[in-house]
Amino acid sequence: MPRVDILQLLISPVHRLAGRPGDGMPELPPDELVTTAEVRAGLGIVGDRYFNHPAHRNASLTLMAAERLPHPGPHEADLRHTRRNVLLRGVDIDAYIGATVFLDCGSGPVELAVRSAARPCAWMDTTVGPGAQRALRGGGGVRCRPLTDGVLTVGPAEFGVREPAAARPAARPGGRPDRGQLPETAS
């Protein structure tokens, strides 16, 4: 099993990025960075703003690769700035959209359906630094649906793939995919 590091975990009980990015950096409390996060299948991270939120059940937990973080600003970016939940080092998590993966911090695997890209918003240029939104396109992390209960902790973890991403459907004449054959995870 490949080893990765969980560098940071973020549990934010409220949405912090309100208003307009041009209004400046909002207050980002340091106590939102935690060392342990409890995950519940189908619900998300206990205590997080998206926990058991019906509109976010397929995207209630977000992962991001530390290697993708730009460093354009005066401070080092962290999860308080990107608003993702888990910062990983050692895996290009953006390459696993459509797959089922797991993280095991030693207390058992937490399985995650990697559902979609977590696209960077205009706030990234304010919270991370100028040019961050553009730099994070295609590497802003992923949105996941937790499939099992478990605990994530800061430190070393095992990473693995339970089920690879489904193959893209064959193109119909004219170059468009046959929508009737799309796998469920592609929607």
Side-chain angles (χ1 to χ4, degrees):
M1 292 293 151
R3 299 290 290 180
V4 299
D5 289 304
I6 296 177
L7 301 177
Q8 290 182 333
L9 295 167
L10 178 103
I11 300 176
S12 181
V14 298
H15 186 68
R16 299 272 179 218
L17 303 180
R20 298 177 185 263
D23 295 339
M25 181 80 125
E27 178 70 27
L28 301 173
D31 64 344
E32 291 182 344
L33 290 176
V34 298
T35 57
T36 302
E38 183 180 354
V39 177
R40 292 282 174 238
L43 302 174
I45 296 177
V46 175
D48 191 66
R49 65 200 177 280
Y50 295 125
F51 181 79
N52 197 25
H53 193 283
H56 294 278
R57 288 220 175 105
N58 283 326
S60 61
L61 190 148
T62 53
L63 305 172
M64 184 173 204
E67 293 85 353
R68 297 284 194 134
L69 280 172
H71 298 284
H75 54 274
E76 187 168 327
D78 64 38
L79 290 178
R80 291 177 306 141
H81 302 127
T82 63
R83 309 308 293 163
R84 307 303 189 241
N85 299 115
V86 182
L87 184 61
L88 298 170
R89 180 175 51 213
V91 62
D92 182 10
I93 195 64
D94 294 273
Y96 290 92
I97 293 173
T100 299
V101 301
F102 71 88
L103 287 167
D104 189 342
C105 299
S107 60
V110 175
E111 292 190 15
L112 305 164
V114 183
R115 304 286 294 174
S116 63
R119 292 184 176 84
C121 68
W123 273 102
M124 297 292 180
D125 288 343
T126 300
T127 61
V128 177
Q133 180 184 16
R134 179 176 291 242
L136 287 169
R137 286 186 185 144
V142 294
R143 298 181 181 280
C144 302
R145 177 182 178 93
L147 301 175
T148 60
D149 292 349
V151 175
L152 298 175
T153 57
V154 170
E158 289 184 6
F159 172 83
V161 178
R162 291 272 192 250
E163 188 175 313
R168 300 298 276 168
R172 293 186 309 197
R176 293 181 26 203
D178 183 354
R179 290 283 184 207
Q181 296 178 16
L182 280 175
E184 182 178 324
T185 58
S187 58

